[in-house]
Amino acid sequence: MGQRGAGAAFMPGKFVFPGGAVDDNDAAVPVTSLSPLDEARLANESTRAPVALAAAAIRELWEETGQVLGHPGHWSDPPQGWRGFAATGHVPHAAALQFFFRAVTPAGRPRRFDARFFLADVDHLKTDPDDFSNAEDELAHLQWVPLADARKFNLPFITQVVLAELASHIARGGTPASVPFFRNDDEAHLVSRLAGQSPLEQ
């Protein structure tokens, strides 16, 4: 996790996971091996291509932490925003990603987001997990945070929700039957399931 700057327009001073917006170029990069299950879940109720969402997660991880989630490979002409990643000698590899949670911020906020959260095993990183020297300066105090200690940090509300779901996910083990979708886009703030049954139908 890392801390956003005190002067940031969005979530100033909060500790967050690496992440950010999908760029147009993310849909054109050679992402390998997104699982069929995650591809289907990412496509559910979405106008974004699943590959673009996975690519954005890998790119933002690289930009904000300097960590590489990829396979060795050469790019003949990497697009803008991907040249630094390509220069490491890797192409993005999505097999390590697991689509885990989705959340929409409440209507009426000056800045809204429709966020997808992914999990990945640190063993799939091609870089030293403790080396953040290639990170851009968007996040300060980059560090690995033990799950049991994370809620002691200054977190956005939605991050607290995601951490609670993560703790439950680890306790259950295995691949979840569906992906929680925390909706704040209407008067009835609710959690539904992506690629799974509604809790009311179970």
Side-chain angles (χ1 to χ4, degrees), residues 37-139:
L37 177 60
D38 282 322
E39 184 169 358
R41 289 176 170 180
L42 287 166
N44 192 198
E45 299 188 45
S46 177
T47 59
R48 292 284 191 180
V51 167
L53 293 165
I58 293 170
R59 177 181 50 75
E60 290 287 347
L61 178 69
W62 158 251
E63 291 176 354
E64 296 190 355
T65 70
Q67 299 294 332
V68 171
L69 193 61
H71 269 340
H74 174 70
W75 301 31
S76 58
D77 187 21
Q80 182 71 29
W82 282 91
R83 292 168 187 167
F85 187 98
T88 69
H90 296 86
V91 295
H93 185 54
L97 293 177
Q98 180 187 346
F99 178 36
F100 164 70
F101 197 94
R102 182 175 174 186
V104 174
T105 50
R109 296 284 177 88
R111 292 190 177 217
R112 300 192 71 199
F113 63 77
D114 180 356
R116 284 81 167 174
F117 295 82
F118 294 88
L119 303 178
D121 192 312
V122 70
D123 289 341
H124 289 98
L125 294 175
K126 300 301 181 183
T127 37
D128 178 352
D130 295 313
D131 181 5
F132 302 117
S133 60
N134 289 318
E136 297 180 359
D137 59 1
E138 185 171 344
L139 297 179

Side-chain angles (χ1 to χ4, degrees), residues 174-196:
T175 301
S178 58
V179 174
F181 185 0
F182 187 86
R183 300 172 187 264
N184 266 308
D185 53 358
D186 51 32
E187 292 183 359
H189 299 176
L190 55 89
V191 176
S192 63
R193 314 297 295 191
L194 294 174

